Amino acid sequence: QELPLYFLRFFGMTEVEKVIDAMDYAIYVYDVQHVLLDNLQFMMGLQQGSFRTKFDAQDYALDLFRKFSTKHNVHVTLVVHPRKEMDKAALGISSVFGTAKATQEADNVVILQRPEALEKNSNFRQSDEVDYRVLEVKKNRFDGELGAVPYKFERDIVTMVELDDLERMKIGLLPVAEEFPDATREVAPDAWMLRA
């Protein structure tokens, strides 16, 4: 909550090279370590002219972002919307718009799901009492751990929050302490502070 946020001043379609230049500047001047770009499809509008297909343009952009991330040792989070799917269909890695490069180059793939899409294949149930979504980690190159977290939007504090135990039980899940007994042990207050 004490980390500064910096915003790029790009609106509408922007050439990927200009975005990369701005990211490079932010890293040099502000020591930025995490960049979030929303979204790839909107940015790609100007790129297609010099490529045979929009997929070639997307692969080119993904290649630039991957090289940038590696060169500068920063995390780049890139929002890529899903391709058109059947209503209420669960989204998977193959649902990401474009070629497979979008998910192959990624270190992490996180998908936001509606619970009704997951009902048949998961413990998540729809509830008239709890309006929630599910954040699913579909790929994790660092340690391979995958999973799903139900969350909701708290309008009063304008924040996404994990469901509490009562809400979890209403959608068919165990309380956190029962489902993840090791995760609820006490953690020192300064355990999350970054140290040089």
Side-chain angles (χ1 to χ4, degrees):
Q1 74 197 50
E2 294 186 25
L3 295 175
L5 289 174
Y6 301 100
F7 295 90
L8 298 174
R9 293 187 181 160
F10 294 122
F11 303 98
M13 295 175 279
T14 306
E15 294 175 14
V16 173
E17 291 83 357
K18 287 184 180 178
V19 175
I20 294 279
D21 287 344
M23 290 165 47
D24 198 35
Y25 179 82
I27 288 168
Y28 179 74
V29 174
Y30 302 112
D31 198 28
V32 168
Q33 296 176 18
H34 186 180
V35 178
L36 178 116
L37 298 171
D38 184 9
N39 73 53
L40 182 62
Q41 287 92 327
F42 198 64
M43 192 184 322
M44 298 311 313
L46 292 176
Q47 297 292 315
Q48 192 175 338
S50 58
F51 294 93
R52 288 183 32 205
T53 69
K54 61 185 169 189
F55 301 116
D56 292 337
Q58 181 178 337
D59 284 355
Y60 170 74
L62 291 167
D63 189 52
L64 289 180
F65 290 131
R66 171 44 114 178
K67 286 177 180 173
F68 181 88
S69 175
T70 302
K71 176 183 174 187
H72 296 285
N73 194 29
V74 296
H75 190 90
V76 176
T77 298
L78 184 59
V79 175
V80 182
H81 291 280
R83 61 185 166 87
K84 298 294 180 198
E85 297 276 358
M86 299 280 292
D87 285 345
K88 298 184 180 179
L91 300 174
I93 287 182
S94 63
S95 302
V96 174
F97 178 82
T99 66
K101 186 170 188 135
T103 55
Q104 288 171 345
E105 291 288 324
D107 289 328
N108 311 100
V109 175
V110 178
I111 296 179
L112 305 180
Q113 303 267 19
R114 296 180 181 275
E116 57 267 23
L118 299 172
E119 270 187 20
K120 298 173 191 125
N121 305 327
S122 74
N123 296 331
F124 298 104
R125 292 192 322 241
Q126 258 186 292
S127 168
D128 293 333
E129 298 177 61
V130 183
D131 182 24
Y132 74 102
R133 300 291 183 268
V134 178
L135 184 143
E136 268 195 296
V137 177
K138 292 288 200 174
K139 178 180 178 183
N140 179 352
R141 191 178 307 240
F142 299 108
D143 69 4
E145 188 168 343
L146 307 177
V149 177
Y151 70 94
K152 66 180 181 177
F153 181 68
E154 284 286 352
R155 293 190 194 310
D156 296 342
I157 57 174
V158 194
T159 304
M160 300 291 195
V161 296
E162 189 173 353
L163 300 185
D164 62 34
D165 284 343
L166 181 60
E167 292 164 327
R168 287 174 58 86
M169 290 188 289
K170 287 179 182 176
I171 65 167
L173 299 176
L174 294 171
V176 172
E178 290 178 39
E179 189 171 353
F180 307 102
D182 293 340
T184 56
R185 66 182 178 357
E186 288 294 318
V187 177
D190 66 342
W192 302 107
M193 295 179 68
L194 298 175
R195 292 179 175 83

